[in-house]
Amino acid sequence: MIPDNLLIAVLMGGPGSEREVSLASGKAVLKALQAAGCNAVGVDVKDADFELPEGTGLAYNVIHGTFGEDGQLQSLLESRGIPYTGAGVASSKTAFDKNLAKEKFLAAGVPTPASEIVDVSGGVRLPSIPVPFVVKPPREGSSVGVTIVKEESQALPAMETAAKYGNDILVEAFVEGKELTVGILDDAAMPIVHIAPRDGFYDMANKYPWLSGGVGSDYYCPADLDAETTRRVQEAALAGHRSLGVEVYSRVDVLLDAAGNPFVLEANTIPGMTETSLLPKSAAAHGIDFPALCLRIAELSLAARSK
């Protein structure tokens, strides 16, 4: 239970590329917590020098991507002695860095696409993985800088784009199949969401058409999968979540190939949190409405930080 006098500061915005999305998530969480009877206030975070209201007992982190999701904010809050929601410093850093996360997946036997890390510090070069493949900057969220390469002519421009974000580019073998995501809450997998982009893949434009003017995506939850496939996907997602040591909750992205094999891509430790976002869709299909989900994350986080 949340103490009646606990002041919850909902941290939103942030300095990264997902600021506008985070503001939408933060406003939704703030409204939900207040509707649930919590003493909650919003804090628009623009940089590391943000101020918390006096007496803050819990920082509810809804800052997606850089700063909020990569361990920086978590470390800062710990130095201030403020409990916070979600993943801790180490697990946030690991989950946000696709290269570190890939190492953890492989070490734990989590099914994940074949890959290589291409060092472009000495100049952009091509991977040894044959086309088709996916080029990913390792430390960006919401598919920023990601390119699916299906023809040789697309390879070099894709690597050049990714090189703008760092020198250690992750290149994964392309897996053709259904795009799925699984909400994890309190070490349990919730119903699977099937994401069906109306055009291309699930990139920034199709995730947030209200920001980009993209055509968007359709969502089906629970996904139309047989019981055995559902079990395999949920088990793979939970294994990925556990391998990263993520506390409280996450949303794990999975590709399902035509043979019914799941491939874990990544775990999002600060997933979208509007009422229509994917984690809330998964929770709703599990019988947990949006205010109850926001409250449960706060309760679990307080318990985790008090250990």
Side-chain angles (χ1 to χ4, degrees), residues 79-153:
S79 72
R80 296 188 189 183
I82 303 294
Y84 55 89
T85 55
V89 176
S91 56
S92 295
K93 181 179 180 181
T94 301
F96 190 70
D97 189 319
K98 295 179 179 67
N99 292 339
L100 293 178
K102 180 70 76 168
E103 290 178 10
K104 294 290 187 181
F105 292 160
L106 293 172
V110 176
T112 188
S115 65
E116 69 175 285
I117 296 172
V118 181
D119 181 359
V120 295
S121 58
V124 175
R125 61 187 182 87
L126 297 179
S128 60
I129 288 180
V131 170
F133 54 73
V134 185
V135 178
K136 299 181 175 182
R139 289 167 292 277
E140 290 290 331
S142 285
S143 304
V144 173
V146 173
T147 306
I148 296 178
V149 174
K150 294 189 175 181
E151 299 177 6
E152 295 287 352
S153 61

Side-chain angles (χ1 to χ4, degrees), residues 3-305:
D4 291 338
N5 62 346
L6 185 80
L7 177 59
I8 302 175
V10 180
L11 309 186
M12 62 185 89
S17 60
E18 297 176 70
R19 175 175 170 78
E20 292 304 316
V21 179
S22 172
L23 287 172
S25 287
K27 290 171 185 175
V29 169
L30 177 61
K31 181 180 177 182
L33 290 173
Q34 290 173 340
C38 294
N39 180 19
V41 296
V43 178
D44 183 350
V45 175
K46 294 184 171 65
D47 53 40
D49 294 326
F50 69 94
E51 293 186 6
L52 289 171
E54 187 175 350
T56 295
L58 177 68
Y60 203 117
N61 179 14
V62 205
I63 297 177
H64 310 308
T66 305
F67 184 68
E69 201 165 353
D70 59 9
Q72 293 184 68
L73 178 60
Q74 291 79 3
S75 181
L76 187 59
L77 289 168
E78 288 190 7
S79 72
R80 296 188 189 183
I82 303 294
Y84 55 89
T85 55
V89 176
S91 56
S92 295
K93 181 179 180 181
T94 301
F96 190 70
D97 189 319
K98 295 179 179 67
N99 292 339
L100 293 178
K102 180 70 76 168
E103 290 178 10
K104 294 290 187 181
F105 292 160
L106 293 172
V110 176
T112 188
S115 65
E116 69 175 285
I117 296 172
V118 181
D119 181 359
V120 295
S121 58
V124 175
R125 61 187 182 87
L126 297 179
S128 60
I129 288 180
V131 170
F133 54 73
V134 185
V135 178
K136 299 181 175 182
R139 289 167 292 277
E140 290 290 331
S142 285
S143 304
V144 173
V146 173
T147 306
I148 296 178
V149 174
K150 294 189 175 181
E151 299 177 6
E152 295 287 352
S153 61
Q154 300 170 325
L156 187 59
M159 296 297 291
E160 290 172 341
T161 296
K164 296 175 183 176
Y165 302 95
N167 291 325
D168 50 343
I169 299 170
L170 178 65
V171 180
E172 289 182 330
F174 175 67
V175 176
E176 184 83 57
K178 292 181 178 179
E179 297 190 50
L180 309 174
T181 196
V182 183
I184 308 292
L185 182 66
D186 196 18
D187 201 44
M190 296 190 292
I192 301 165
V193 182
H194 174 202
I195 304 160
R198 293 171 189 158
D199 180 53
F201 74 105
Y202 197 49
D203 59 4
M204 193 79 166
N206 286 324
K207 287 178 183 178
Y208 310 114
W210 51 274
L211 267 181
S212 62
V215 296
S217 303
D218 296 311
Y219 306 98
Y220 306 94
C221 185
D224 185 17
L225 303 171
D226 62 64
E228 175 59 22
T229 303
T230 296
R231 182 190 63 78
R232 286 201 305 272
V233 170
Q234 289 177 317
E235 285 185 354
L238 188 56
H241 171 93
R242 288 172 174 170
S243 74
L244 302 176
V246 176
E247 301 90 338
V248 184
Y249 77 111
S250 74
R251 200 201 75 226
V252 181
D253 296 337
V254 180
L255 281 172
L256 184 70
D257 71 10
N261 300 306
F263 293 87
V264 173
L265 300 179
E266 62 181 318
N268 304 273
T269 57
I270 311 289
M273 280 294 284
T274 68
E275 291 197 45
T276 57
S277 296
L278 302 183
L279 180 71
K281 284 182 192 295
S282 182
H286 195 56
I288 305 172
D289 65 20
F290 188 60
L293 173 64
C294 295
L295 198 59
R296 187 69 179 134
I297 288 171
E299 292 171 343
L300 291 167
S301 299
L302 274 174
R305 302 279 107 83

